[in-house]
Coordinates of all heavy atoms in Angstrom, one line a residue:
M1 N 86.6 89.5 128.1 CA 85.7 88.5 127.6 C 86.5 87.4 126.8 O 86.3 87.1 125.7 CB 84.7 89.1 126.6 CG 83.6 89.9 127.4 SD 82.2 90.4 126.4 CE 82.4 89.9 124.8
G2 N 87.5 86.9 127.5 CA 88.3 85.8 126.9 C 87.6 84.5 126.8 O 86.6 84.3 127.6
G3 N 88.0 83.7 125.9 CA 87.4 82.4 125.8 C 86.1 82.2 125.0 O 85.5 81.1 125.0
L4 N 85.6 83.3 124.4 CA 84.4 83.2 123.6 C 84.6 82.8 122.2 O 83.6 82.6 121.4 CB 83.6 84.5 123.7 CG 83.2 84.9 125.2 CD1 82.5 86.2 125.1 CD2 82.3 83.8 125.8
G5 N 85.8 82.7 121.7 CA 86.1 82.4 120.3 C 86.1 83.5 119.3 O 86.0 83.3 118.1
K6 N 86.3 84.7 119.8 CA 86.3 85.9 118.9 C 87.5 85.8 117.9 O 87.3 86.0 116.7 CB 86.3 87.2 119.7 CG 85.2 87.4 120.6 CD 85.3 88.7 121.4 CE 86.5 88.7 122.4 NZ 86.5 87.7 123.5
T7 N 88.6 85.5 118.5 CA 89.8 85.5 117.6 C 89.7 84.3 116.7 O 90.1 84.4 115.5 CB 91.1 85.4 118.5 OG1 91.2 86.5 119.3 CG2 92.4 85.3 117.6
A8 N 89.3 83.2 117.2 CA 89.1 82.0 116.3 C 88.2 82.2 115.1 O 88.4 81.8 114.0 CB 88.6 80.8 117.1
L9 N 87.1 82.9 115.4 CA 86.1 83.3 114.4 C 86.8 84.2 113.4 O 86.7 84.0 112.1 CB 84.9 83.9 115.0 CG 83.8 84.4 114.0 CD1 83.3 83.3 113.1 CD2 82.7 85.1 114.7
A10 N 87.4 85.2 113.8 CA 88.1 86.2 112.9 C 89.1 85.5 112.1 O 89.2 85.8 110.9 CB 88.7 87.4 113.7
R11 N 89.9 84.6 112.7 CA 91.0 83.9 112.0 C 90.4 83.0 110.9 O 90.9 82.9 109.8 CB 91.8 83.1 113.0 CG 93.0 82.4 112.4 CD 94.1 83.4 112.1 NE 95.2 82.8 111.4 CZ 96.5 83.1 111.6 NH1 96.8 84.0 112.5 NH2 97.4 82.6 110.9
S12 N 89.3 82.4 111.2 CA 88.6 81.5 110.3 C 88.1 82.3 109.1 O 88.3 81.8 107.9 CB 87.4 80.8 111.0 OG 86.7 80.1 110.1
I13 N 87.6 83.4 109.3 CA 87.1 84.3 108.2 C 88.3 84.8 107.4 O 88.3 84.7 106.1 CB 86.3 85.5 108.7 CG1 85.0 85.0 109.3 CG2 86.0 86.5 107.6 CD1 84.2 86.0 110.1
Y14 N 89.4 85.2 108.1 CA 90.6 85.7 107.4 C 91.2 84.6 106.5 O 91.7 84.9 105.4 CB 91.6 86.1 108.5 CG 93.0 86.4 108.0 CD1 93.2 87.7 107.4 CD2 94.0 85.5 108.1 CE1 94.5 88.0 106.9 CE2 95.3 85.8 107.6 CZ 95.5 87.0 107.0 OH 96.7 87.3 106.5
E15 N 91.2 83.4 106.9 CA 91.9 82.3 106.2 C 90.9 81.7 105.1 O 91.4 80.9 104.3 CB 92.3 81.2 107.1 CG 93.5 81.7 108.0 CD 93.9 80.7 109.0 OE1 93.1 79.7 109.3 OE2 95.0 80.8 109.6
N16 N 89.7 82.1 105.1 CA 88.7 81.6 104.1 C 89.2 82.0 102.7 O 89.5 83.2 102.4 CB 87.3 82.2 104.4 CG 86.3 81.6 103.4 OD1 86.3 82.0 102.3 ND2 85.4 80.8 103.9
Q17 N 89.2 81.0 101.8 CA 89.7 81.3 100.4 C 88.9 82.3 99.6 O 89.4 83.0 98.8 CB 89.8 80.0 99.6 CG 90.9 79.1 100.2 CD 92.3 79.7 100.2 OE1 92.7 80.3 99.2 NE2 93.0 79.6 101.3
D18 N 87.6 82.3 99.9 CA 86.7 83.2 99.2 C 87.1 84.7 99.7 O 87.1 85.6 98.9 CB 85.2 83.0 99.6 CG 84.7 81.7 98.9 OD1 85.3 81.3 97.9 OD2 83.8 81.1 99.5
F19 N 87.4 84.8 100.9 CA 87.7 86.1 101.5 C 89.1 86.6 100.9 O 89.3 87.7 100.5 CB 87.8 86.1 103.0 CG 88.4 87.3 103.6 CD1 87.5 88.4 103.8 CD2 89.7 87.4 104.1 CE1 88.0 89.6 104.4 CE2 90.2 88.5 104.6 CZ 89.4 89.6 104.8
C20 N 90.1 85.7 100.9 CA 91.4 86.0 100.4 C 91.4 86.4 99.0 O 92.2 87.3 98.6 CB 92.3 84.8 100.6 SG 92.7 84.4 102.3
G21 N 90.5 85.8 98.2 CA 90.4 86.2 96.8 C 89.9 87.6 96.5 O 90.0 88.1 95.4
M22 N 89.3 88.2 97.5 CA 88.7 89.5 97.3 C 89.7 90.6 97.4 O 89.5 91.8 97.0 CB 87.6 89.8 98.4 CG 86.5 88.8 98.2 SD 85.3 88.9 99.6 CE 84.7 90.6 99.4
F23 N 91.0 90.3 97.9 CA 92.0 91.4 98.1 C 93.3 90.9 97.5 O 93.6 89.8 97.5 CB 92.1 91.6 99.6 CG 90.9 92.0 100.3 CD1 90.1 91.0 100.9 CD2 90.5 93.3 100.4 CE1 88.9 91.4 101.6 CE2 89.3 93.6 101.0 CZ 88.5 92.7 101.6
Q24 N 94.1 91.9 97.1 CA 95.4 91.7 96.6 C 96.3 91.2 97.6 O 97.2 90.4 97.4 CB 95.9 92.9 95.9 CG 95.2 93.3 94.6 CD 95.8 94.5 94.0 OE1 96.5 95.3 94.6 NE2 95.4 94.8 92.7
K25 N 96.2 91.9 98.8 CA 97.1 91.6 99.9 C 96.3 91.5 101.2 O 95.3 92.2 101.3 CB 98.2 92.6 100.1 CG 99.1 92.6 98.9 CD 100.2 93.6 99.1 CE 101.1 93.7 97.8 NZ 102.5 93.6 98.1
H26 N 96.8 90.8 102.2 CA 96.2 90.8 103.5 C 97.2 90.5 104.5 O 98.3 89.9 104.2 CB 95.0 89.8 103.5 CG 95.4 88.4 103.2 ND1 95.6 88.0 101.9 CD2 95.6 87.3 104.0 CE1 95.9 86.7 101.9 NE2 96.0 86.3 103.2
A27 N 96.9 90.8 105.8 CA 97.9 90.6 106.9 C 97.1 90.3 108.1 O 96.0 90.8 108.3 CB 98.7 91.9 107.1
W28 N 97.7 89.4 109.0 CA 97.1 89.0 110.2 C 98.0 89.5 111.3 O 99.2 89.2 111.4 CB 96.9 87.5 110.3 CG 96.3 87.1 111.6 CD1 97.0 86.7 112.7 CD2 94.9 87.1 112.0 NE1 96.2 86.4 113.8 CE2 94.9 86.6 113.3 CE3 93.8 87.4 111.3 CZ2 93.7 86.5 114.0 CZ3 92.6 87.2 112.0 CH2 92.5 86.8 113.3
M29 N 97.5 90.3 112.2 CA 98.3 90.9 113.3 C 97.7 90.5 114.7 O 96.5 90.6 114.9 CB 98.4 92.4 113.2 CG 99.0 92.9 111.9 SD 100.7 92.4 111.7 CE 101.5 93.2 113.0
N30 N 98.5 90.0 115.6 CA 98.1 89.8 117.0 C 98.6 90.9 117.8 O 99.7 91.3 117.7 CB 98.7 88.5 117.5 CG 98.1 87.3 116.9 OD1 96.9 87.2 116.7 ND2 98.9 86.3 116.6
L31 N 97.7 91.5 118.6 CA 98.1 92.6 119.5 C 98.1 92.1 121.0 O 97.2 91.3 121.4 CB 97.1 93.7 119.4 CG 97.1 94.5 118.1 CD1 96.0 95.5 118.1 CD2 98.5 95.1 117.8
S32 N 99.1 92.4 121.7 CA 99.2 92.1 123.1 C 98.9 93.3 123.9 O 98.9 94.4 123.4 CB 100.6 91.5 123.4 OG 101.6 92.5 123.2
D33 N 98.7 93.2 125.2 CA 98.5 94.3 126.0 C 99.6 94.4 127.1 O 99.7 93.4 127.9 CB 97.1 94.2 126.7 CG 96.7 95.4 127.5 OD1 97.1 96.5 127.1 OD2 95.9 95.3 128.4
P34 N 100.4 95.3 127.1 CA 100.4 96.5 126.2 C 101.1 96.1 124.9 O 101.9 95.2 124.8 CB 101.3 97.5 127.0 CG 102.3 96.6 127.8 CD 101.5 95.4 128.1
S35 N 100.7 96.9 123.9 CA 101.2 96.6 122.5 C 102.3 97.6 122.2 O 102.4 98.7 122.8 CB 100.1 96.7 121.5 OG 99.5 97.9 121.5
N36 N 103.2 97.2 121.3 CA 104.3 98.0 120.8 C 104.0 98.5 119.4 O 103.9 97.7 118.5 CB 105.6 97.2 120.9 CG 106.8 97.9 120.4 OD1 106.7 98.7 119.4 ND2 107.9 97.7 121.1
A37 N 103.7 99.8 119.3 CA 103.3 100.3 118.0 C 104.4 100.1 116.9 O 104.1 99.7 115.8 CB 103.1 101.8 118.1
G38 N 105.7 100.2 117.2 CA 106.7 100.0 116.3 C 106.7 98.5 115.7 O 106.8 98.3 114.5
E39 N 106.6 97.6 116.6 CA 106.5 96.2 116.2 C 105.2 95.9 115.4 O 105.3 95.1 114.5 CB 106.6 95.3 117.4 CG 108.0 95.3 118.1 CD 109.1 95.0 117.1 OE1 109.0 94.0 116.4 OE2 110.1 95.8 117.1
F40 N 104.1 96.5 115.8 CA 102.9 96.3 115.0 C 103.1 96.8 113.6 O 102.8 96.0 112.7 CB 101.7 97.1 115.7 CG 100.5 97.1 114.9 CD1 99.6 96.0 114.8 CD2 100.2 98.2 114.0 CE1 98.5 96.0 114.1 CE2 99.1 98.2 113.2 CZ 98.2 97.1 113.3
F41 N 103.5 98.0 113.4 CA 103.7 98.5 112.0 C 104.8 97.8 111.3 O 104.7 97.6 110.1 CB 103.9 100.0 112.0 CG 102.6 100.8 112.3 CD1 102.4 101.3 113.6 CD2 101.7 100.9 111.3 CE1 101.2 102.0 113.8 CE2 100.5 101.6 111.6 CZ 100.2 102.2 112.8
R42 N 105.9 97.4 111.9 CA 106.9 96.7 111.3 C 106.4 95.3 110.8 O 106.6 94.9 109.6 CB 108.1 96.4 112.2 CG 109.3 95.8 111.6 CD 110.5 95.8 112.5 NE 111.1 97.1 112.5 CZ 111.0 97.9 113.6 NH1 110.3 97.6 114.7 NH2 111.5 99.2 113.6
G43 N 105.6 94.6 111.6 CA 105.0 93.4 111.2 C 104.0 93.5 110.1 O 104.0 92.7 109.2
L44 N 103.2 94.6 110.1 CA 102.3 94.8 109.1 C 102.9 95.1 107.8 O 102.6 94.5 106.7 CB 101.4 96.1 109.5 CG 100.4 96.5 108.5 CD1 99.3 95.4 108.3 CD2 99.7 97.8 108.9
V45 N 103.9 95.9 107.7 CA 104.7 96.2 106.5 C 105.4 95.0 106.0 O 105.4 94.7 104.8 CB 105.6 97.4 106.7 CG1 106.5 97.6 105.5 CG2 104.9 98.7 107.0
L46 N 106.0 94.2 106.9 CA 106.7 93.0 106.5 C 105.7 92.0 105.8 O 106.0 91.4 104.7 CB 107.3 92.3 107.7 CG 108.6 92.8 108.1 CD1 109.0 92.2 109.5 CD2 109.7 92.5 107.1
Q47 N 104.5 91.9 106.3 CA 103.5 91.0 105.7 C 103.1 91.5 104.3 O 102.9 90.7 103.4 CB 102.3 90.8 106.6 CG 102.6 89.9 107.8 CD 101.4 89.5 108.5 OE1 100.4 88.9 107.9 NE2 101.4 89.8 109.8
L48 N 102.9 92.8 104.2 CA 102.4 93.4 103.0 C 103.4 93.5 101.9 O 103.1 93.7 100.8 CB 101.7 94.7 103.3 CG 100.5 94.7 104.2 CD1 100.0 96.1 104.5 CD2 99.4 93.9 103.5
T49 N 104.7 93.4 102.3 CA 105.8 93.5 101.3 C 106.6 92.2 101.2 O 107.7 92.3 100.7 CB 106.7 94.7 101.7 OG1 107.3 94.4 103.0 CG2 106.0 96.0 101.7
E50 N 106.1 91.1 101.7 CA 106.8 89.9 101.7 C 107.4 89.5 100.3 O 108.4 88.7 100.2 CB 106.1 88.7 102.3 CG 104.8 88.3 101.6 CD 104.0 87.3 102.3 OE1 104.3 87.0 103.5 OE2 103.0 86.9 101.8
D51 N 106.8 90.0 99.2 CA 107.3 89.6 97.9 C 108.3 90.6 97.4 O 108.9 90.5 96.3 CB 106.1 89.6 96.9 CG 105.3 90.8 96.9 OD1 105.3 91.6 97.8 OD2 104.6 91.0 95.9
D52 N 108.6 91.7 98.2 CA 109.6 92.7 97.8 C 110.8 92.6 98.8 O 110.9 93.2 99.8 CB 109.0 94.1 97.9 CG 109.9 95.2 97.4 OD1 111.1 94.9 97.1 OD2 109.5 96.3 97.3
I53 N 111.8 91.8 98.4 CA 112.9 91.5 99.2 C 113.8 92.8 99.5 O 114.4 92.8 100.5 CB 113.8 90.4 98.6 CG1 114.7 89.8 99.6 CG2 114.5 90.9 97.4 CD1 114.1 88.9 100.6
T54 N 113.7 93.8 98.7 CA 114.5 95.0 98.8 C 114.0 95.8 100.1 O 114.8 96.6 100.6 CB 114.4 95.9 97.6 OG1 113.1 96.3 97.4 CG2 115.0 95.2 96.4
L55 N 112.8 95.6 100.5 CA 112.3 96.3 101.7 C 112.6 95.6 103.0 O 112.5 96.2 104.1 CB 110.8 96.6 101.6 CG 110.4 97.8 100.8 CD1 108.9 97.9 100.7 CD2 110.9 99.1 101.5
Q56 N 112.8 94.3 102.9 CA 112.9 93.5 104.2 C 114.0 94.0 105.1 O 113.8 94.2 106.3 CB 113.2 92.1 103.8 CG 112.1 91.5 103.0 CD 110.7 91.5 103.6 OE1 110.5 91.0 104.7 NE2 109.7 92.1 102.9
E57 N 115.2 94.2 104.6 CA 116.4 94.7 105.5 C 116.2 96.1 106.0 O 116.4 96.3 107.2 CB 117.7 94.5 104.7 CG 118.9 94.7 105.6 CD 119.0 93.6 106.6 OE1 118.6 92.5 106.4 OE2 119.6 93.9 107.7
P58 N 115.8 97.1 105.2 CA 115.6 98.4 105.8 C 114.6 98.5 106.8 O 114.6 99.4 107.7 CB 115.2 99.3 104.5 CG 115.7 98.5 103.4 CD 115.7 97.0 103.8
L59 N 113.6 97.6 106.8 CA 112.5 97.7 107.8 C 113.0 97.4 109.2 O 112.4 98.0 110.2 CB 111.4 96.6 107.5 CG 110.5 97.0 106.4 CD1 109.6 95.8 106.1 CD2 109.6 98.2 106.7
K60 N 114.1 96.7 109.3 CA 114.6 96.4 110.7 C 115.0 97.6 111.4 O 115.0 97.6 112.7 CB 115.8 95.4 110.5 CG 115.4 94.0 110.0 CD 116.6 93.2 109.9 CE 116.2 91.8 109.2 NZ 117.3 91.0 109.0
N61 N 115.4 98.6 110.7 CA 116.0 99.8 111.4 C 115.1 101.1 111.3 O 115.5 102.1 111.7 CB 117.4 100.2 110.8 CG 118.3 99.0 111.1 OD1 118.4 98.5 112.2 ND2 119.1 98.7 110.1
M62 N 113.9 100.9 110.7 CA 113.0 102.1 110.5 C 112.4 102.5 111.8 O 112.1 101.7 112.7 CB 111.8 101.7 109.5 CG 112.2 101.8 108.1 SD 110.6 101.6 107.1 CE 111.3 101.5 105.5
Q63 N 112.3 103.8 111.9 CA 111.6 104.5 113.1 C 110.1 104.4 112.9 O 109.6 104.2 111.8 CB 112.1 105.9 113.2 CG 113.6 106.1 113.4 CD 114.0 105.4 114.7 OE1 113.4 105.7 115.8 NE2 115.1 104.7 114.7
L64 N 109.4 104.6 114.0 CA 107.9 104.4 114.0 C 107.3 105.3 112.9 O 106.4 104.9 112.2 CB 107.4 104.8 115.4 CG 105.8 104.7 115.5 CD1 105.3 103.3 115.1 CD2 105.4 105.1 116.9
K65 N 107.7 106.6 112.8 CA 107.1 107.5 111.8 C 107.3 106.9 110.4 O 106.4 107.0 109.6 CB 107.9 108.8 112.0 CG 107.4 109.9 111.0 CD 108.2 111.2 111.2 CE 108.6 111.9 110.0 NZ 109.4 111.5 109.0
D66 N 108.5 106.4 110.1 CA 108.7 105.9 108.8 C 107.9 104.6 108.5 O 107.4 104.3 107.4 CB 110.2 105.6 108.6 CG 111.0 106.8 108.7 OD1 110.6 107.9 108.2 OD2 112.1 106.7 109.3
L67 N 107.7 103.8 109.6 CA 106.9 102.6 109.4 C 105.5 102.9 109.2 O 104.8 102.2 108.4 CB 107.0 101.7 110.7 CG 108.4 101.0 110.9 CD1 108.5 100.5 112.4 CD2 108.6 99.9 109.9
I68 N 105.0 103.9 109.9 CA 103.6 104.3 109.6 C 103.4 104.9 108.2 O 102.4 104.5 107.5 CB 103.2 105.4 110.7 CG1 103.1 104.7 112.1 CG2 101.8 106.0 110.3 CD1 102.9 105.7 113.2
E69 N 104.4 105.7 107.8 CA 104.3 106.2 106.4 C 104.3 105.1 105.4 O 103.5 105.1 104.4 CB 105.4 107.2 106.1 CG 105.3 108.5 106.9 CD 106.5 109.4 106.7 OE1 107.4 109.1 105.9 OE2 106.5 110.5 107.3
E70 N 105.2 104.1 105.6 CA 105.3 103.0 104.7 C 104.0 102.1 104.7 O 103.5 101.7 103.6 CB 106.5 102.1 105.0 CG 106.8 101.1 104.0 CD 107.3 101.7 102.7 OE1 108.0 102.8 102.7 OE2 107.0 101.2 101.6
S71 N 103.4 101.9 105.8 CA 102.1 101.2 105.9 C 101.0 101.9 105.2 O 100.1 101.4 104.5 CB 101.8 100.8 107.3 OG 101.5 101.9 108.1
N72 N 101.0 103.3 105.3 CA 100.0 104.1 104.7 C 100.1 104.0 103.2 O 99.1 103.9 102.5 CB 100.1 105.5 105.1 CG 99.5 105.8 106.5 OD1 98.7 105.0 107.0 ND2 99.9 106.8 107.1
K73 N 101.3 103.9 102.6 CA 101.5 103.7 101.2 C 100.9 102.4 100.7 O 100.3 102.3 99.6 CB 103.0 103.8 100.8 CG 103.6 105.1 100.9 CD 105.1 105.0 100.5 CE 106.0 105.9 101.2 NZ 107.4 105.7 100.9
L74 N 101.1 101.4 101.5 CA 100.7 100.0 101.1 C 99.2 99.8 101.3 O 98.6 99.0 100.6 CB 101.4 99.0 102.0 CG 102.9 99.0 101.8 CD1 103.6 98.2 102.9 CD2 103.2 98.4 100.4
L75 N 98.5 100.6 102.2 CA 97.1 100.4 102.3 C 96.4 101.4 101.4 O 95.3 101.2 101.0 CB 96.7 100.7 103.8 CG 97.4 99.7 104.8 CD1 97.1 100.2 106.2 CD2 96.9 98.3 104.6

């Protein structure tokens, strides 16, 4: 069902300042088909920890299991 504006609507809500003020942190992820779980969780953790520079470098080499654990801590 491409072209109906679902992503545009979701992005508009996500970027709304009233919405952003309701949460301490937020992340926007695009998924492709097929998706890569490692890249998804790495991107998620990177967005949620962008203010913690000490985590940025270790994330590059984390395995999927560790990325999932780290994202669970942040959520």
Side-chain angles (χ1 to χ4, degrees):
M1 286 193 356
L4 297 178
K6 299 176 297 294
T7 301
L9 175 61
R11 184 76 185 217
S12 174
I13 294 168
Y14 170 81
E15 292 175 345
N16 181 288
Q17 292 303 313
D18 293 331
F19 174 80
C20 290
M22 297 171 64
F23 302 95
Q24 292 177 343
K25 297 182 181 228
H26 58 279
W28 178 265
M29 300 297 299
N30 288 319
L31 293 176
S32 59
D33 188 27
S35 58
N36 180 317
E39 291 306 311
F40 171 81
F41 283 103
R42 185 170 287 105
L44 179 63
V45 173
L46 277 169
Q47 286 189 57
L48 295 175
T49 61
E50 63 188 5
D51 57 339
D52 186 353
I53 197 72
T54 62
L55 273 176
Q56 302 299 307
E57 190 63 32
L59 282 174
K60 294 178 183 176
N61 299 315
M62 278 189 187
Q63 299 297 313
L64 178 58
K65 177 180 144 297
D66 299 323
L67 289 166
I68 293 171
E69 287 176 8
E70 192 64 37
S71 66
N72 284 338
K73 287 184 216 173
L74 295 166
L75 298 174

